[in-house]
Amino acid sequence: MPEATRRLEARLSELAGAPVELERPSDPAHGDYATNVALQVAPASGKGPRELAEELAAAATGMAEVERAEVAGPGFVNLWLAPSWFEEALGEMLEAGADYGCGWAVPHERVQVEMVSANPTGPLTVASARNGAIGDSVARLLAFAGHQVEREYYYNDSGAQVERFRASVDAIRGGEEPPEDGYRGEYVAELAREESDPVATMLKQIEATLERFRIHFDSWALQSELETRLPEFLPKLDTYEKDGALWARSSAYGDDEDRVLIRSPEQGGAPTYRAADVAYLVDKLERGFDRAIYVLGADHHGTRKWYGAIARMLGYDPERIEVLIYQLVHLTSGGRQAKMSKRRGDVVFLDDFMDEVGVDAARWYLANRGPDQTIEIDVDLAAERSEKNPVYYVQYAHARIAGILRNAGGAASNSLLQGRAPEPEERGLVKRLAEFPGIAAEATERRGPQGVPNYAIRVADDFHRFYHHHRVLESDAQAFRLGLCRATQSVIARCLDLVGVDAPERM
RNA sequence: GCGCCUGUAGCUCAGGGGAUAGAGCGACGGCCUUCUAAGCCGUUGGUCGGAGGUUCGAAUCCUCCCAGGCGCACCA
């Protein structure tokens, strides 16, 4: 929020005796900013809301940033901003440049975001892609907010699934069919033709796919390695034996049920995945992360409370553990639906999806929707490289601005109106850009990136409208409009970057 | 049966207490000798699943009901 707005809010808050949050009304007839504070405070003050609103409006009229103030409806105060507000706000953005809206978080934390973490038993699917798109965008938002962020991939290289996978490859190598509960598909046959360890090959392939998807991992954690540290942690847990197995009494610490840590002898006596979870959680926290975020698909939501429970059991502050759940993804093409399951032939792999729609559209469509929504992506629309596709609409605004700036050569850009009143399209655009820090902060705190791309569409709307109505170069307002272009370009580039989409100079 | 998520325009979805509920796609109609028409402008289209409740004010918060998705392993 611009400093000028903060000043306004502070002074109005003092007058009203309650915190004022200026909001942007949807109807332009209601001014540039509005506040409902009179409605909220009136019951306690003994005055009528209209009367209070009148007092606030009268006081606001005298403020330098305010051109005009009105009372409307049951007691809203509507404000129209003075030219000086637009100059100051744009000036702030230009001064901040690419850093506009960053670094607001206090205190800065060390945060680990663990994401994707798919078993290395097959290529990544679109379901894992949503995990990555959300996790990576949240990581980017956290870093933008000022936190120190590390991305980690945790892979299971020692459980029953991996053994089944290896057995399937070995079977084909021996000229047999994979076992009934094994893995099939083209990629299994391909791995069987190579000599290398299929798990290692899969991991390499997964990393390459993720790099292509623009997710870079700082570290990779192995389940087998963490399991070796179990003897260190098991005695610290609240456990009991039942039916020959060792159980964690997690239900006493907020989990829905108790979980088996060590299988009974009849089941092989090996540690479960849950046991490795314990070692991993301690490992994360002991490595010094203030916060550890797990990104899990809805099919794992049953274990959501487990992580907090073991933190509590081991005496750590459970607030340091966060579990982000996202719902499933369906793809449609020509009205038909593809279901994703790694063991069947009709899966949609992330690489195929990127081939089909491009990396930009893939990232866009997977970050575009709230994590709580089960989403359906129309592959045909996502693949369309045209005006129908919002991702290109936004990129086009960026490229258009790049074109103007190229044509401008080194012409001066600033935030000075030189006594001119800003045009409606200029007002709209500056106000829109002023929303950006709030949008980024809200997306970060909600751990949901979807607000960013949706906001970027609004910025592109406002820019295209401004562009259509006003000339930038060789106009009387050239320097101001070039400044506006620069600020817009930088906000669009940042929005796209936060969801892992490129901002092209030309299209 | 229990738990989590969801139900908003024909379709896919924004919307996390405010004024007349928005966008994209779809459908229909205008605008290119001017910095990129991947653009702009307009029309069409909604009992916000239902019923109660809280509030000056509810798509938004609470309760119940209905419908759908996902879980409820000594798989992960």
Side-chain angles (χ1 to χ4, degrees), chain A residues 9 92 113 115 123 163 194 217 262 295 322 437 444 460 487:
Chain A
E9 283 189 344
E92 240 174 74
V113 183
M115 60 185 116
E163 272 157 37
E194 294 168 25
F217 283 88
I262 308 291
V295 185
E322 261 182 53
T444 310

Side-chain angles (χ1 to χ4, degrees), chain A residues 73-87:
Chain A
F76 292 101
V77 179
N78 297 335
L79 304 175
W80 280 260
L81 296 165
S84 65
W85 183 92
F86 293 90
E87 291 185 315

Side-chain angles (χ1 to χ4, degrees), chain A residues 96-318:
Chain A
D99 291 339
Y100 176 54
C102 85
W104 53 271
V106 184
H108 292 182
E109 295 181 338
R110 250 192 95 193
V111 184
Q112 185 203 62
V113 183
E114 182 221 319
M115 60 185 116
V116 189
S117 299
N119 280 347
T121 53
L124 291 178
T125 65
V126 172
S128 290
R130 188 174 192 195
N131 186 313
I134 292 171
D136 184 58
S137 293
V138 167
R140 287 171 189 241
L141 282 161
L142 289 166
F144 186 62
H147 299 298
Q148 187 186 328
V149 181
E150 286 180 38
R151 295 161 179 79
E152 186 156 286
Y153 191 115
Y154 172 61
Y155 65 97
N156 168 1
D157 59 342
S158 69
Q161 298 289 353
V162 173
E163 272 157 37
R164 254 175 237 164
F165 172 60
R166 283 205 159 97
S168 302
V169 173
D170 287 342
I172 295 177
R173 281 174 179 168
E176 293 161 35
E177 280 289 301
E180 189 55 34
D181 60 352
Y183 289 78
R184 287 148 212 285
E186 190 52 34
Y187 74 93
V188 183
E190 266 173 44
L191 288 165
R193 266 178 246 125
E194 294 168 25
E195 301 224 332
S196 54
D197 170 19
V199 170
T201 306
M202 264 339 302
L203 264 176
K204 247 183 252 167
Q205 197 178 313
I206 285 170
E207 183 172 16
T209 301
L210 287 166
E211 288 288 338
R212 183 183 173 204
F213 197 52
R214 304 187 183 131
I215 303 180
H216 178 75
F217 283 88
D218 301 292
S219 49
W220 300 70
L222 286 76
Q223 182 178 339
S224 59
E225 212 166 82
L226 287 158
E227 276 169 350
T228 64
R229 301 177 59 193
L230 276 178
E232 203 180 316
F233 302 122
L234 282 182
K236 298 182 183 166
L237 291 169
D238 187 351
T239 58
Y240 61 92
E241 270 185 50
K242 194 181 86 182
D243 304 330
L246 185 72
W247 294 69
R249 206 184 307 276
S250 41
S251 63
Y253 298 83
D255 198 0
D256 295 321
E257 57 191 12
D258 292 345
R259 315 271 179 180
V260 172
L261 295 172
I262 308 291
R263 294 181 178 92
S264 58
E266 305 91 78
Q267 299 289 332
T272 63
Y273 184 86
R274 301 271 84 91
D277 279 342
V278 176
Y280 189 27
L281 181 121
V282 175
D283 177 70
K284 284 173 191 249
L285 296 181
E286 293 302 315
R287 270 190 277 162
F289 292 109
D290 299 306
R291 188 177 299 276
I293 299 180
Y294 293 74
V295 185
L296 301 177
D299 51 339
H300 289 115
H301 77 254
T303 58
R304 197 198 163 119
K305 294 179 185 163
W306 158 250
Y307 300 95
I310 50 180
R312 220 170 264 123
M313 195 184 287
L314 290 160
Y316 293 108
D317 179 0

